[in-house]
Amino acid sequence: MNKALQPPLVSIVMNCYNGEKYLCEAIDSIYAQTYKNWEIIFWDNASTDGSSSIAKSYDERVKYYVVSKTTPLGEARNFALNKADGEYVAFLDCDDMYFPDKLERQVKLMQNKDYVMCYGSVSIINEDGKEIKKDIVKNKSGNVFSGLLRRYEINMQTVILKKEFLVNNQLSFNSNMSYCPDHNLFMTIASKTDVGVITDVVAKYRIVDNSLSKKTIDIVPQEYR
């Protein structure tokens, strides 16, 4: 295909720390996308399990980076963002999955309406992959900031951003936050511009016993404030 006619490149950031258990499922859900112009920025945050071997078993679309010392999640996400070449940036943690049309639907909406951020609903699954419930978003595309103040409904795995907006506004993840650097960034974007919302489920979010969310639950009130 003529490069000028290709759809925009989407960089999918995967931050990984010992995520081997569900990693193949996560990566395979990207390869199953109906939207084909993507790259994976795989940021290995000093894993000690088999995550590295799994990531390297895929083709050149998985761009593998590793650090020698584990860093806070916000800082790790920023390192990965700096490696992203895509016009758009999406996110997928190693125990979660995309629905097959996730990228296609979001890129189309963002291009048609010139949104710089888009998110959607999520299916919450257990460790066996069985659905526990659907978390359906309530906001409609447009100014969602006040709605998010009342009820924060953005799941990281459903988000896609326009990288140029981040660069032009000098926006990034707060490297000092361990629990909600994503909440901080997405609320900042929503306070500045309209946001695209897809009410359909576009990703699966897995609840696991040893997740970062559970390990850092004690700092949630402070970081949300």
Side-chain angles (χ1 to χ4, degrees):
M1 182 186 291
N2 187 320
K3 192 170 183 179
L5 299 177
Q6 281 188 341
L9 178 67
V10 178
S11 297
I12 301 156
V13 171
M14 295 190 73
N15 281 100
C16 178
Y17 177 71
N18 291 346
E20 66 177 1
K21 185 172 183 179
Y22 303 108
L23 185 53
C24 285
E25 289 182 76
I27 296 177
D28 288 348
S29 77
I30 299 174
Y31 276 79
Q33 289 296 296
T34 56
Y35 189 92
K36 298 303 182 184
N37 195 23
W38 50 261
E39 64 176 5
I40 296 174
I41 305 300
F42 192 94
W43 194 264
D44 187 342
N45 205 357
S47 295
T48 57
D49 65 356
S51 297
S52 172
S53 297
I54 294 171
K56 291 176 179 178
S57 71
Y58 289 82
D59 60 26
E60 70 282 353
R61 286 179 289 180
V62 179
K63 298 181 178 179
Y64 177 84
Y65 301 91
V66 63
V67 289
S68 58
K69 183 179 179 180
T70 304
T71 61
L73 185 57
E75 185 175 359
R77 292 202 197 283
N78 286 334
F79 285 141
L81 274 179
N82 288 334
K83 301 295 185 181
D85 291 326
E87 180 177 340
Y88 295 106
V89 182
F91 307 91
L92 185 64
D93 289 339
C94 296
D95 42 16
D96 302 324
M97 289 175 279
Y98 285 165
F99 275 40
D101 60 351
K102 192 255 188 196
L103 295 181
E104 182 177 6
R105 295 186 64 181
Q106 291 189 303
V107 171
K108 182 178 180 180
L109 176 62
M110 293 181 75
Q111 286 191 302
N112 287 345
K113 300 294 185 180
D114 200 28
Y115 292 131
V116 300
M117 183 169 92
C118 176
Y119 69 92
S121 299
V122 67
S123 169
I124 299 176
I125 61 175
N126 64 17
E127 295 191 20
D128 297 323
K130 183 178 180 180
E131 183 175 89
I132 301 170
K133 66 174 182 177
K134 289 183 173 68
D135 193 354
I136 304 299
V137 297
K138 305 299 183 185
N139 289 316
K140 306 298 182 185
S141 294
N143 186 343
V144 300
F145 184 66
S146 60
L148 292 174
L149 285 174
R150 290 189 297 269
R151 177 184 181 267
Y152 186 74
E153 62 178 7
I154 302 177
N155 181 282
M156 181 78 177
Q157 323 309 324
T158 74
V159 171
I160 184 168
L161 305 174
K162 191 168 186 177
K163 189 179 181 186
E164 183 182 38
F165 184 82
L166 300 180
V167 173
N168 290 346
N169 290 274
Q170 298 182 313
L171 295 175
S172 62
F173 294 100
N174 188 323
S175 59
N176 295 318
M177 287 185 166
S178 298
Y179 179 78
C180 55
D182 50 332
H183 174 280
N184 180 66
L185 176 61
F186 301 155
M187 288 297 283
T188 300
I189 295 172
S191 73
K192 295 177 180 292
T193 185
D194 286 350
V195 172
V197 181
I198 295 176
T199 56
D200 292 336
V201 172
V202 296
K204 296 181 181 181
Y205 172 71
R206 193 188 307 265
I207 301 294
V208 294
D209 283 340
N210 64 343
S211 68
L212 177 66
S213 298
K214 291 191 176 184
K215 290 178 180 178
T216 56
I217 196 68
D218 57 316
I219 63 172
V220 172
Q222 176 186 348
E223 291 201 356
Y224 263 66
R225 282 197 296 270

